[in-house]
Amino acid sequence: MVSFNFSAEHQQFAEVLSDFSTKALLPHYNRRAASTEFPFDAFAELGKLGVLGIGLPEKFGGTGAEDPVLLGLATETLAAGDINLASAPIQVGLVGSQLLYASDEVQERYLPTLISGKETLAIALTEPGSGSDAGALRTTATPVDGGWRLSGEKTAISWAMNASATLVYARTPGTTRSQGVSCFLVPMAAEGVTRHHMLGMGCLPLGWGSIHLDNVFIPADHLVGEEGRGFHTVMNHFDFSRAAIGLMCLGAARQSLDEALTYSEQREAFGQKISRYQGVSFGLAEQATYLEAARLLCYKALWLREAEQPHTSLASMSKWWPPQVARQAIEVAMRIHGNLGYAAEFPHQARYRDVMAYLVAADGSAEIQKRIIAADLYRNGTVAY
Ligand SMILES: Cc1cc2nc3c(=O)[nH]c(=O)nc-3n(C[C@H](O)[C@H](O)[C@H](O)COP(=O)(O)OP(=O)(O)OC[C@H]3O[C@@H](n4cnc5c(N)ncnc54)[C@H](O)[C@@H]3O)c2cc1C
């Protein structure tokens, strides 16, 4: 083990983002979290900071080569200010990395505006009849003269309501499971596309919704990647972006715990500051311990990806456990704030609801992550990593 330090470049970037997160995002998080409006202004600010293009080509405004640790550092730092906006670099990275397999025209049309924060793109795998079992998707893509006709329904899609286009996964009729599934770039203005807003318990500004495709014509050059290989590229990116999601949840939790730490030094009960009671301070000590352990797990997964070493299981561990640690830490922070922790005017309730999305299902449920880890354990014949 050489060091736990970030590179000077990463540290510098994180300091800029931390300043932005604290001064520009945090003061308005609670208001934004209660609204279903996508925060396009703040999204464009992220674009100006260069945080949306992490790991995407420089010619489109990105930082260049894949940089997993920087992605994690950025999302963790931004989430202290606003967990919903912190998910943007992950979403743009996921969509952008798929678009690199698209035609030059599609790349030039969408990548610069996505990376600069001028427009959003969604990614649609989940359907009413298939989520975890994505290989069972039923949306069809029928070859026709000059392109394809897409029909089906996608559900629970982040950014569905604000996206100008969506990466849609659909299968050639007659195929089964992952074979025959291709990825298509579907402009949301195309004839036959309709969208419906879905209200979740959190992540309200992310425009969660369903997308209906009724015989939608998609030109041949909007096929992304090879025909029948749609799953291949998306799974490669999910493989590490899960660890960035873990860090994002932990960043939001850390902010709640920091606020609880400050509050415990101000609030008095029974003639002294509540920080004097070990019932309060030990709670903070315990949560700080869990947070640090979960954080190191996530960064190890990202570091392994960077070092081109096996990282899939650690990324899955980083997706199921850290959101749980974060939820528990936020709950402790809420309790330390007493009635104020529960009050809508304070951000803890919003962070609690937002973090729950990642604990329950977003980007794959905890059970699916455990399935991946368990398969690896039996393959390796050991639980040690
Ligand atoms: C906030 C939010 C944002 C989302 N954004 C997107 C998006 O942008 N794009 C997109 O395509 N999807 C998105 N999703 C959908 C998400 O990917 C799915 O919800 C997730 O994959 C689970 O699928 P499901 O909801 O159909 O649950 P199911 O797959 O039906 O699972 C139901 C339950 O069964 C369990 N289960 C299923 N299979 C197994 C198994 N083999 N072993 C053990 N347990 C199992 C699951 O863990 C879960 O507890 C989002 C979801 C949320 C909540």
Side-chain angles (χ1 to χ4, degrees), residues 14-33:
E15 277 164 23
V16 173
L17 292 183
S18 175
D19 193 55
F20 175 77
S21 184
T22 312
K23 293 184 184 149
L25 297 184
L26 185 58
H28 309 289
Y29 163 66
N30 205 28
R31 174 183 54 77
R32 272 194 303 263

Side-chain angles (χ1 to χ4, degrees), residues 202-218:
C203 298
L204 299 188
L206 298 187
W208 206 42
S210 61
I211 301 172
H212 298 248
L213 304 149
D214 183 8
N215 208 26
V216 178
F217 176 72
I218 296 300

